[in-house]
Amino acid sequence: ENMLKEHEYIDAIRETKASIFLLSAGGNDALGGGNLRAHLRDFDPALSPAAHLLPSFEQLLDHALAMVERVLREVEAEPGVVTLCHGYDYVIPNAGKWLGKPMISRGIEAGAVQRGIAAHMIDRFNERLRQLVSHFGERAIHVDVRGAVGHTLDVWHDELHPTDPGYGRVADRFETAIEQVVARTRAPRSRRGA
């Protein structure tokens, strides 16, 4: 929402004459916006991790992706700019305020169940983001960074943010995507009827 209010990215694209825009947005919203507890059921051993999420979780995604779509549409209006965006890696709940504490407050204490819930949230965000991006053709690319950081606590600074080496592995995936965009824009276009 803050990005949309300020529109600084459009000014930056125009000032720098950028051809690639890196968009990292929607993650906090998609992970509950600090209020994950309101979107969880109380722990029930009969439920799968994913089933602990209330239907309101999909509404969180609706809101987050509506904002991302507005950014994508604004950037699409800038000639020749390709947006690269991502749906985040598998975060690890670790008794923090964003994931762990809200889960514990619902009686969800087992690490495996917490990680399963978080993985489902990340998968759904990525799936829906990839679907959204597909509507923009070659003007937007979903960079799948799931599994890039790693699954041990030592590669995570906190529940949501990797350490520098983890960020480096995410950057590697973006570098590959950037190289593909550059190669595509430099490739000679085939002539029709040839």
Side-chain angles (χ1 to χ4, degrees):
E1 286 182 27
N2 292 334
M3 290 175 68
L4 285 165
K5 286 177 191 170
E6 301 297 326
H7 290 89
E8 292 174 336
Y9 51 93
I10 296 296
D11 293 337
I13 288 169
R14 291 175 180 166
E15 288 170 16
T16 63
K17 297 178 176 50
S19 59
I20 297 175
F21 173 58
L22 306 181
L23 175 62
S24 181
N28 287 348
D29 303 287
L31 293 174
N35 191 27
L36 178 59
R37 184 183 197 288
H39 306 284
L40 291 169
R41 300 181 197 285
D42 288 335
F43 177 68
D44 181 340
L47 295 177
S48 69
H52 281 86
L53 286 160
L54 294 168
S56 60
F57 170 67
E58 290 294 326
Q59 294 168 352
L60 283 177
L61 294 182
D62 291 344
H63 179 71
L65 291 164
M67 290 185 292
V68 170
E69 182 175 12
R70 285 178 53 200
V71 173
L72 290 173
R73 294 220 177 273
E74 288 182 1
V75 174
E76 183 183 39
E78 300 300 312
V81 180
V82 176
T83 300
L84 303 182
C85 55
H86 68 105
Y88 301 92
D89 195 357
Y90 294 115
V91 293
I92 301 176
N94 190 24
K97 68 178 184 176
W98 296 98
L99 303 170
K101 286 182 181 175
M103 290 181 185
I104 291 168
S105 75
R106 289 290 192 182
I108 305 166
E109 297 179 3
V113 177
Q114 290 182 356
R115 286 189 297 279
I117 292 168
H120 178 74
M121 294 168 74
I122 293 296
D123 281 340
R124 286 296 297 144
F125 186 53
N126 273 279
E127 289 162 9
R128 292 200 46 200
L129 181 62
R130 183 182 0 246
Q131 183 179 30
L132 170 63
V133 164
S134 72
H135 298 293
F136 291 84
E138 292 187 348
R139 294 297 303 278
I141 296 171
H142 170 259
V143 180
D144 193 344
V145 300
R146 288 175 288 183
V149 175
H151 304 291
T152 59
L153 289 177
D154 63 314
V155 294
W156 289 90
H157 173 69
D158 60 25
E159 289 186 308
L160 303 180
H161 304 95
T163 59
D164 288 347
Y167 274 122
R169 288 189 286 279
V170 170
D172 290 342
R173 301 238 181 135
F174 270 89
E175 182 178 19
T176 299
I178 291 167
E179 289 169 352
Q180 291 170 351
V181 170
V182 170
R184 185 176 69 213
T185 58
R186 288 187 182 160
R189 296 178 188 236
S190 62
R191 291 181 293 176
R192 290 185 183 178

